[in-house]
Amino acid sequence: MKSRTTELRHGGLRNVSPGPVEARLMRPGEVRCVRPVHCVRPVRPVRPGRVARPLRAAALGLALCAGALAHAESRPRYGGIVEASLLGAPVALDPIAAQASADVTVVGLVFDTLYTIGPDGTVQPHLALGPPVLDPARQTAHIALRRGVVFHDATPMTASDVADSLERVRTKIAWLLAPVTGVRTSGDGVDLVLRAPGADLATLLALPETAITKRGQAPAAGRPIGTGPFSVASVDPAHKKLVLKAFDDHFAGRPYLDRLVLDWFDTPDGEARRFETGATQLSARGVAAFAGAAPKYPASEVEGPAALLLFVGFGKRHPQITGDRRFRRAFDLALDRGAIATITTGEHTLPTRLPVPIEAASTTLEAAARAGDASQAQLVLGDAAKHNAALAPGSLAGMKLSIIVEDTRPDDREIALRVARGLDKLGIGFTIEAVPADKLRQRVQGGDCDLWIGQLTAPITVTAAWWGKAFAADNDGWAEAQLAAGPIDAALAEQAFAERLPIVPLMFRSLLIWYRSDVHGLGFDALGRPGLADLYWWKIRP
């Protein structure tokens, strides 16, 4: 059986997940780690006069690779184009609107945050020079900023850009910066005025929603301007294509690739077909479209952490039903998560009833709980009917609840069909409608549906981010109130979640990517995003 591999790039050391990792020389100048590992972005070479990020990791990486480099035929070279895919259409190229996998992947390529999080949960300065520094009264945290950072339009990033960006986050995503009452410029950076000194600010400021935008404003739809490793060259929703161009002046170094082309698909086998013919170099939905087929070029595969949560959200078309928490509990009990988790193209899936992954101190769902409990679900619904006539059998007999899914996430329709089986066990009919990503976002925000299939992603070890996003998905302010007073207590969060059920979690899944074997540098960050900014061709194509 073919082993999964991921590479250690020249000049940079990747952090790996716990467990034995065997490194060996594959060819002159190439070192690989056998078995899948979760990786952070390596240090790219920087142009003369610029400082690499982070220096200690680079030094250690060079020391480990010295033997291999001594015999190397060549180093990775700049140039070339890679065409890859997203798990659906990116809805808005605005950090504060980032929710699904496609959104946060693109945001991470175009924008930068003050901090980043390694796969082990370690927070590292990025646009910031170091950790937040509290004043003696512990009421203000000062963050010094890296100098020399410029936006894609060549204008310098200033402390005002950072302060205005964080103020926008604070007002638009209340839970995320709930410990902060204000942001202002101060000397070489910004000051955050605190209401909860115990908050882990650096971790919150590593979330993709806090990425810095020019003047702290919402980026232009077609040409967003960030400071990230790639700038947006073109967006073509009609042809489901986004083209990114390497940013020569990225403070951490220019990407190796000249261009990165990102596609999304509305058919289950569309992506695999293109990979099979050699039209794309990376595929997240299969190495071949048909059993027994093979891609045109030799391929390898690498898998990231299970950091993508698939869930059912609730709309307001029939609020007397979907807004009733007893109905939500009955629905939750009726679902067969074991069957839902088999909808996969080979990646790891983990059924769950909590919106928190195992790595963030959650618990594994027992086998019996994965299958659901239809009898208990009917008892809960029957009890609910005593208090809500809309849930009585006679009222539900002719009822059909609408489930909406995104048309560029074909797996979601299959998930919706199995979710609908849970409704059937409760004697409730259903309809399923596939809509474009922007329409789904609009209808969810307007409540124009009964149920919807959604995605959430956060750093795999950051408990507060998972709870915050789960409650916020239903406009529930519980997590915001907790963060405003200090760190979230996991036991209280689990109790509140069980009572309120703002969403119904289904499963966590990883991202498994097949890639041409002559494309190197692929790894994953703590959010399970592929490190597309670190890709390079072993030999540049003509």
Side-chain angles (χ1 to χ4, degrees):
M1 180 178 178
K2 178 179 60 180
S3 63
R4 297 174 183 171
T5 64
T6 190
E7 289 101 4
L8 290 170
R9 271 248 319 261
H10 303 318
L13 176 66
R14 296 184 185 271
N15 294 329
V16 298
S17 57
V21 178
E22 176 192 356
R24 68 174 186 267
L25 187 66
M26 303 296 291
R27 66 178 73 172
E30 179 185 6
V31 178
R32 290 191 177 185
C33 293
V34 180
R35 304 303 302 160
V37 297
H38 306 161
C39 304
V40 296
R41 287 175 57 190
V43 182
R44 294 191 297 275
V46 294
R47 300 191 310 175
R50 300 172 68 198
V51 179
R53 154 199 73 113
L55 293 178
R56 285 182 294 177
L60 181 55
L62 287 172
L64 290 176
C65 295
L69 292 176
H71 302 285
E73 294 176 350
S74 64
R75 294 175 61 87
R77 291 176 289 176
Y78 292 99
I81 301 172
V82 162
E83 188 163 348
S85 59
L86 297 168
L87 287 184
V91 179
L93 305 183
D94 183 353
I96 68 166
Q99 294 182 10
S101 172
D103 300 332
V104 298
T105 297
V106 174
V107 162
L109 295 168
V110 178
F111 300 93
D112 287 309
T113 49
L114 293 178
Y115 298 91
T116 59
I117 300 177
D120 60 351
T122 302
V123 180
Q124 304 164 347
H126 192 55
L127 290 176
L129 280 176
V133 178
L134 292 173
D135 68 349
R138 300 179 64 82
Q139 295 179 343
T140 302
H142 179 73
I143 299 175
L145 300 176
R146 189 182 298 276
R147 295 186 178 184
V149 178
V150 295
F151 286 102
H152 297 150
D153 63 357
T155 58
M157 185 196 77
T158 67
S160 294
D161 294 311
V162 175
D164 291 343
S165 295
L166 298 185
E167 269 296 311
R168 189 165 77 107
V169 173
R170 196 177 70 82
T171 56
K172 297 291 186 179
I173 312 177
W175 72 267
L176 204 162
L177 290 182
V180 178
T181 61
V183 187
R184 59 179 182 246
T185 62
S186 176
D188 62 348
V190 294
D191 283 347
L192 280 66
V193 183
L194 306 178
R195 64 161 57 95
D200 188 353
L201 282 179
T203 298
L204 294 176
L205 294 174
L207 299 181
E209 296 90 337
T210 67
I212 306 306
T213 63
K214 189 173 181 179
R215 294 190 294 272
Q217 297 178 357
R223 285 292 177 88
I225 296 175
T227 64
F230 285 95
S231 63
V232 175
S234 65
V235 183
D236 187 354
H239 294 90
K240 302 178 178 61
K241 191 179 295 292
L242 170 66
V243 179
L244 303 179
K245 179 182 178 181
F247 181 37
D248 289 340
D249 292 322
H250 188 232
F251 77 94
R254 180 199 190 277
Y256 284 127
L257 298 176
D258 288 336
R259 288 182 180 259
L260 180 63
V261 180
L262 300 174
D263 305 306
W264 50 96
F265 300 84
D266 55 10
T267 60
D269 61 354
E271 179 181 339
R273 286 175 181 270
R274 283 183 60 79
F275 185 74
E276 184 178 344
T277 61
T280 61
Q281 291 78 51
L282 278 76
S283 171
R285 285 198 178 94
V287 69
F290 304 103
K296 182 176 180 179
Y297 299 98
S300 303
E301 60 189 45
V302 61
E303 187 170 12
L308 182 64
L309 174 66
L310 280 75
F311 67 91
V312 179
F314 298 99
K316 299 178 180 178
R317 184 172 287 181
H318 294 93
Q320 71 278 18
I321 296 176
T322 57
D324 190 302
R325 292 176 181 173
R326 290 160 299 196
F327 162 76
R328 295 186 181 189
R329 286 196 288 273
F331 173 62
D332 178 48
L333 285 166
L335 293 175
D336 184 347
R337 289 172 170 82
I340 294 171
T342 62
I343 301 172
T344 171
T345 55
E347 72 276 1
H348 176 64
T349 60
L350 186 65
T352 184
R353 293 183 69 182
L354 291 175
V356 181
I358 298 298
E359 291 83 352
S362 184
T363 56
T364 302
L365 195 63
E366 298 293 335
R370 296 184 183 194
D373 190 334
S375 298
Q376 184 63 26
Q378 290 167 356
L379 288 175
V380 171
L381 187 65
D383 181 66
K386 299 175 183 178
H387 308 276
N388 183 351
L391 297 176
S395 300
L396 294 177
M399 176 63 62
K400 286 189 176 182
L401 297 184
S402 65
I403 308 173
I404 59 174
V405 299
E406 184 183 318
D407 62 1
T408 58
R409 299 202 303 247
D411 294 347
D412 285 7
R413 182 174 179 84
E414 295 299 318
I415 291 172
L417 284 170
R418 301 196 187 189
V419 164
R421 294 177 187 174
L423 293 176
D424 185 63
K425 294 175 185 177
L426 300 175
I428 302 174
F430 66 92
T431 62
I432 298 176
E433 184 181 0
V435 298
D438 57 342
K439 298 298 182 184
L440 184 139
R441 183 74 59 93
Q442 292 171 11
R443 289 181 59 175
V444 167
Q445 291 175 344
D448 185 17
C449 64
D450 292 305
L451 306 172
W452 55 285
I453 306 300
Q455 295 180 349
L456 288 180
T457 185
I460 193 77
T461 59
V462 182
T463 305
W466 292 105
W467 288 121
K469 291 189 175 189
F471 281 99
D474 196 44
N475 296 314
D476 190 311
W478 186 89
E480 177 189 347
Q482 294 296 308
L483 281 169
I488 289 181
D489 181 277
L492 290 178
E494 186 170 340
Q495 179 181 349
F497 186 83
E499 292 172 352
R500 299 165 179 255
L501 274 181
I503 61 174
V504 172
L506 300 175
M507 66 176 174
F508 283 96
R509 62 157 288 186
S510 63
L511 186 60
L512 177 63
I513 294 184
W514 289 262
Y515 62 98
R516 273 184 53 163
S517 297
D518 51 354
V519 174
H520 295 183
L522 182 60
F524 292 87
D525 69 5
L527 285 87
R529 297 180 296 191
L532 302 179
D534 301 314
L535 297 177
Y536 63 94
W537 288 94
W538 180 253
K539 293 183 179 180
I540 304 299
R541 294 190 303 173

